[in-house]
Amino acid sequence: MPTPRPAAIALATLLCLAAAGCSEAVSGADGKTTGVADKAPSAAQGTYPVTLKNCGRDQTFDKAPSRVVVMNGASVAEVSTLLALGEGDRIVSNQQTYGMSEVPGRAEEIKGLPTGGVKPNEAFDIPREAMIGLRPDFVLSTTSYGFDAKNGFATREQLKEVGARTYISPEGCGQDNLNMTIDDSYTLLRDMGRVFGVQEKAEKLVATERQNIADVAAKVGNAKKPNVMVIFSNMTMGGNDFSSVAAHGIYNDILTKAGGSNAFASASKTSFADISKEKVAATEVDALVVVSYNDPDPTAYAKKLLKEFPQWPAAKKNKFVVLSDSMYLGPSNDLAVEKIARMLHPDAF
């Protein structure tokens, strides 16, 4: 596998750190906090105060945040969720990007967001001093990694002291995200809907996505489930030739709803499998899903992989699809389900 760029190394590190369930909505709580704000985006319509129980901490909002910082975390789940809810004008610094998206215009919209002039630290994210200097009133991180002092980041306590609430996305509290499902994407949408006073919009987005997925699942529900390999392109996460192969987590939920099964689910007890070329060659792969993270040519990677294993049914039938943000936590999992389903079961559509 080619040596990944620094951003790719960051993705490998953070994906392996992502973890067990952390977000539970609690309504009508008392206790108010004050954030620093000098921006006046369109007023949110909601009932405040709002309290979220997030990774064991209560975060109370007496109004919609107006100086939002989105940490990198090798994710676009958080920034995409805010954009889907129409809250992009509240972001003063966004560090997230995948370089591509299944949502038309989303990648360009993300690219156009302010960065706050932040120079990332060695952990590829916002250093403590720069974070405090941004004067945030709300900071989002994909995992608890983004608030760990030993990584050079501002802690949740330090941010609270300067008036900033903090939020760790669903399944980001512990050490592995192997239990993540599409429902966690709905939780993120609903939580942000409550924080920004746009609950109705969040519920509409969830309802639409649920219906889209149900429609696809109904079409492919009785079909044979092909064995699918899900792999991040040009990514190294371990010591073997293939260390970025998805084994568990939201990937499997998406595959199941698309009428497929993970060919490497038994290869690891964690989210990602670290396996040899020989093991890959000996596994029957009926179809390939390549997930791109800032890879300029993931299609070339997919074709190279199929050429490398001509014995795969996937290679013989040229069955592959390239995806990016829709395959991970975020507001567009229905697009991944449909694209994979159309690749696996074209006759159903």
Side-chain angles (χ1 to χ4, degrees), residues 94-266:
N94 170 59
Q95 301 299 311
Q96 296 186 343
T97 176
Y98 269 4
M100 63 181 292
S101 173
E102 279 71 73
V103 180
R106 177 62 51 78
E108 292 74 19
E109 193 176 7
I110 290 174
K111 186 177 180 180
L113 291 170
T115 65
V118 172
K119 181 180 179 181
N121 61 12
E122 293 181 356
F124 308 101
D125 220 323
I126 304 175
R128 180 185 301 105
E129 295 77 13
M131 176 65 78
I132 300 301
L134 289 167
R135 298 180 296 116
D137 61 1
F138 188 38
V139 180
L140 295 95
S141 178
T142 303
T143 70
S144 58
Y145 181 94
F147 298 120
D148 194 329
K150 71 174 181 290
N151 299 321
F153 303 136
T155 65
R156 301 187 83 178
E157 292 82 2
Q158 290 169 334
L159 288 164
K160 181 179 179 180
E161 289 174 2
V162 298
R165 293 88 168 162
T166 49
Y167 181 86
I168 297 172
S169 287
E171 297 294 325
C173 301
Q175 294 301 310
D176 204 327
N177 61 359
L178 76 166
N179 294 316
M180 184 183 287
T181 69
I182 294 173
D183 281 343
D184 292 306
S185 294
Y186 302 153
T187 297
L188 178 57
L189 270 168
R190 284 170 166 150
D191 282 353
M192 292 305 100
R194 297 184 69 242
V195 167
F196 290 94
V198 287
Q199 298 97 315
E200 185 176 347
K201 187 167 187 177
E203 288 301 330
K204 286 181 179 179
L205 288 171
V206 170
T208 297
E209 186 166 351
R210 280 191 187 278
Q211 187 60 56
N212 291 343
I213 291 174
D215 290 346
V216 171
K219 291 177 181 178
V220 303
N222 296 323
K224 180 181 178 181
K225 297 184 182 298
N227 291 322
V228 183
M229 180 188 207
V230 178
I231 186 169
F232 280 72
S233 61
N234 291 314
M235 188 70 61
T236 299
M237 297 185 188
N240 284 292
D241 292 322
F242 292 88
S243 56
S244 63
V245 178
H248 300 285
I250 196 170
Y251 319 103
N252 289 5
D253 193 17
I254 290 172
L255 286 180
T256 297
K257 290 179 171 61
S261 61
N262 193 327
F264 294 93
S266 63

Side-chain angles (χ1 to χ4, degrees), residues 92 197 230 269 301:
V92 296
V230 178
K269 293 182 178 180
Y301 176 82

Side-chain angles (χ1 to χ4, degrees), residues 278-299:
E278 290 73 22
K279 170 69 173 176
V280 171
T283 303
E284 185 172 274
V285 175
D286 298 314
L288 179 65
V289 174
V290 168
V291 184
S292 171
Y293 173 74
N294 284 322
D295 187 338
D297 197 351
T299 299

Side-chain angles (χ1 to χ4, degrees), residues 60-88:
T60 300
F61 302 80
D62 56 5
K63 60 182 178 180
S66 59
R67 293 190 60 83
V68 180
V69 174
V70 184
M71 298 189 74
N72 179 6
S75 172
V76 286
E78 294 74 27
V79 70
S80 293
T81 296
L82 296 185
L83 291 174
L85 290 170
E87 301 301 317

